Amino acid sequence: MVSCTNNFEEINSNPNAPEQVSANLLTSTVTSEITRTLTQEGYSDGNTITQLMAKNNFPGFSQFDWGDQGMWNFFYSYLPEINDILEISRAEGTQNSTYEGIALTLRALSFANLTDLYGHVPYTEAMAGKTEGIFTPVYDDQETVYNGVLQDLADADAALAKGQAIAGSTGDVIYNGDASKWRKLANALRLRYLLRISKQRDVSSEMQAIVSAGNYINDNSDNAVLVYSGTSNTDSWPQSTGRIGGFDEKSLCTTLLGYFEEFNDPRLDIWFDRNSEGEWVGIPIGLNQDNARAYDDEFSPSRLDVELFYFSSTAAEAFIMKNSEVQFILAEAAERGFIFGSAEDYYNNGIRASLDYWGVPSDDIEAYLVQPAVQYNGSLELLLTQKTIALWNVDYQGWMDYRRTGIPALENGQDDLNGGRYPVRFLYPSSEQTLNGDNYKAAVEAMGGEGDNINTPGWWETGTRY
């Protein structure tokens, strides 16, 4: 009996039921779910709030009849898994600086989205349930969260600079464990978030240092994209797995049609189909259900391109960030004097990157750029309008730019339910009022304005540097 107890734990361990999930399995889940969800949000609501698309059925979101939009629970459900990847990457025996950098980048991306969408959010105590038994975390202000986000991305840059290889399957559906690519994404996100807080803080030296180092997304081959395999519903472009009736509920918005007609833009024919009369027709933003259906019946607005966005499970991709966005960030930074370089060159590169990504031939791209309506003239309105178009399907980034700059100008629809004001945040989920009530109330009071209301601006929106 004594001899039977030798190696008891080893003998009685089930190799098919490991007690600790590996970093590659966690990374596979987290990278795919975050990328898919961000793009789906951009497709469903991000494009609507920047008036690139409008709904001809169930149009409540564009009327600003908002409840809980759901991103709160999504990010807080995946942050523990990101934290697990970070712990594994730093533990003796499983230490890996590339996984560490990936986890830090995804943590920064998640918390930046949370504070950008909601305002004050649990941050310093958000992951303290397992370690400290804190299940009702305090809410931190946006400046605190942003300090942490930017530090995480700087730490990610340092970790990923080591270039440590990952043996075997990486689980990384974005860059397949390529540390140099993740480093470029981390620094591109730093550029995004530094520009975002630039009304509150002088970010010139930090942005210039990133640009001078050159380790940021600077080519379409660096894009942080997920290519669908089409082997299952989960691994397919989401719209391709739904019913055609749901797909047909979205149409070209008159606001975007106006941009496209002004610029003679080839993306119109890539993203949308002509209507049954062979015409391009948009639908106004913010119509109520009855008016939207009546408008649809009378004018037949152009639907999304059915071949690209419905019939194919693999043609459309999901993405976190693309080169086009980065170039427009640098263009605005140069125009405002935050970095050295030509705003016009960055602007042109942003357009080239977007058109090239969507398959426009190079000769057509150059012809597009020399049009008088497109040629850069130092106008932030022109720059940010082109950037908004390029942010098609990129979660809510166009809305963030609008909230920071008011550009491009967006007007409420005729059946608006928000008193003529354009919203600037999501509401906290109702569960927070019951499960974390005291901290919820403290956050609402600390945010000022109108509290837990879609019209209460955040910290980075209210700066006065420009």
Side-chain angles (χ1 to χ4, degrees):
M1 289 183 67
V2 172
S3 63
C4 287
T5 60
N6 288 343
N7 303 318
F8 181 85
E9 292 184 359
E10 180 180 346
I11 293 170
N12 288 277
S13 295
N14 182 354
N16 297 314
E19 295 180 3
Q20 179 173 308
V21 180
S22 62
N24 69 321
L25 291 177
L26 289 168
T27 300
S28 175
T29 300
V30 172
T31 54
S32 61
E33 286 301 315
I34 287 179
T35 309
R36 284 199 298 257
T37 300
L38 286 176
T39 303
Q40 176 63 20
E41 286 290 313
Y43 174 90
S44 61
D45 290 334
N47 286 348
T48 300
I49 200 169
T50 49
Q51 301 186 14
L52 304 181
M53 290 196 297
K55 294 192 73 173
N56 48 278
N57 199 23
F58 305 115
F61 184 82
S62 62
Q63 294 179 262
F64 308 136
D65 181 18
W66 289 2
D68 172 20
Q69 299 306 312
M71 295 301 285
W72 179 283
N73 290 335
F74 172 79
F75 281 115
Y76 280 119
S77 68
Y78 279 101
L79 276 163
E81 295 192 21
I82 295 171
N83 206 50
D84 286 343
I85 300 170
L86 192 59
E87 290 181 358
I88 293 168
S89 72
R90 291 172 170 173
E92 185 177 354
T94 56
Q95 191 173 32
N96 186 283
S97 58
T98 296
Y99 276 131
E100 180 182 11
I102 291 172
L104 288 167
T105 302
L106 293 174
R107 186 168 74 176
L109 176 69
S110 299
F111 275 119
N113 271 279
L114 281 165
T115 191
D116 287 344
L117 293 171
Y118 295 96
H120 288 39
V121 295
Y123 177 68
T124 54
E125 295 182 354
M127 298 295 106
K130 180 173 69 173
T131 57
E132 301 176 46
I134 298 175
F135 299 105
T136 54
V138 298
Y139 289 53
D140 295 284
D141 60 73
Q142 276 197 308
E143 184 173 12
T144 299
V145 178
Y146 257 89
N147 288 340
V149 163
L150 291 169
Q151 186 60 58
D152 271 356
L153 291 172
D155 292 344
D157 174 61
L160 294 163
K162 298 175 183 177
Q164 185 173 355
I166 297 174
S169 171
T170 67
D172 170 18
V173 299
I174 307 299
Y175 293 128
N176 194 29
D178 187 334
S180 66
K181 296 288 189 180
W182 274 100
R183 187 183 186 193
K184 289 182 178 183
L185 174 59
N187 284 312
L189 289 171
R190 287 173 75 191
L191 291 170
R192 173 196 279 179
Y193 299 134
L194 285 168
L195 183 62
R196 182 147 304 151
I197 67 172
S198 61
K199 289 179 74 173
Q200 285 283 6
R201 185 181 297 174
D202 183 357
V203 298
S204 302
S205 60
E206 292 170 275
M207 293 192 79
Q208 184 60 59
I210 296 168
V211 174
S212 297
N215 291 305
Y216 59 90
I217 293 174
N218 198 32
D219 186 89
N220 280 1
S221 64
D222 300 328
N223 290 345
V225 300
L226 182 155
V227 180
Y228 291 102
S229 66
T231 56
S232 68
N233 282 358
T234 302
D235 295 323
S236 298
W237 169 248
Q239 305 311 311
S240 70
T241 65
R243 60 184 180 85
I244 189 66
F247 175 81
D248 276 344
E249 290 172 353
K250 290 185 175 295
S251 301
L252 170 63
C253 183
T254 52
T255 304
L256 178 59
L257 179 58
Y259 301 154
F260 278 161
E261 290 178 335
E262 178 185 2
F263 299 142
N264 189 29
D265 201 300
R267 287 168 290 192
L268 173 60
D269 199 26
I270 296 171
W271 295 346
F272 295 95
D273 288 331
R274 295 177 186 269
N275 69 5
S276 57
E277 302 298 321
E279 299 175 345
W280 299 115
V281 178
I283 183 172
I285 201 73
L287 299 179
N288 64 27
Q289 179 70 37
D290 291 341
N291 289 331
R293 295 306 304 152
Y295 189 98
D296 185 70
D297 291 341
E298 182 175 0
F299 297 105
S300 185
S302 300
R303 300 294 201 262
L304 283 157
D305 184 272
V306 71
E307 296 294 336
L308 175 59
F309 293 114
Y310 183 72
F311 287 142
S312 175
S313 61
T314 60
E317 298 174 337
F319 26 74
I320 294 174
M321 193 175 196
K322 301 199 299 294
N323 179 39
S324 52
E325 179 186 351
V326 180
Q327 297 304 316
F328 284 118
I329 289 169
L330 297 177
E332 183 182 347
E335 184 62 40
R336 294 190 187 278
F338 299 161
I339 62 172
F340 298 114
S342 166
E344 180 179 8
D345 288 347
Y346 286 127
Y347 165 88
N348 288 337
N349 288 340
I351 292 175
R352 286 192 183 96
S354 180
L355 295 182
D356 177 71
Y357 176 84
W358 291 105
V360 178
S362 57
D363 288 347
D364 292 344
I365 294 174
E366 297 311 311
Y368 178 86
L369 286 168
V370 299
Q371 296 181 103
V374 176
Q375 286 181 325
Y376 188 66
N377 58 6
S379 164
L380 286 171
E381 182 79 27
L382 176 61
L383 190 161
L384 286 164
T385 299
Q386 284 284 354
K387 182 184 180 184
T388 298
I389 298 170
L391 286 170
W392 170 267
N393 281 0
V394 184
D395 57 90
Y396 295 96
Q397 295 308 308
W399 182 40
M400 309 304 176
D401 281 336
Y402 171 77
R403 287 161 50 191
R404 177 174 59 87
T405 67
I407 304 172
L410 299 172
E411 296 183 359
N412 298 49
Q414 70 174 47
D415 298 318
D416 159 59
L417 297 175
N418 192 38
R421 294 182 290 179
Y422 223 77
V424 294
R425 65 179 291 270
F426 286 167
L427 299 173
Y428 290 126
S430 57
S431 59
E432 283 297 292
Q433 299 179 44
T434 55
L435 300 177
N436 196 12
D438 289 343
N439 289 319
Y440 162 82
K441 292 175 184 176
V444 170
E445 182 178 353
M447 284 195 300
E450 299 173 52
D452 192 9
N453 183 289
I454 62 176
N455 301 305
T456 297
W459 166 72
W460 51 259
E461 295 163 77
T462 56
T464 57
R465 294 185 63 86
Y466 57 85

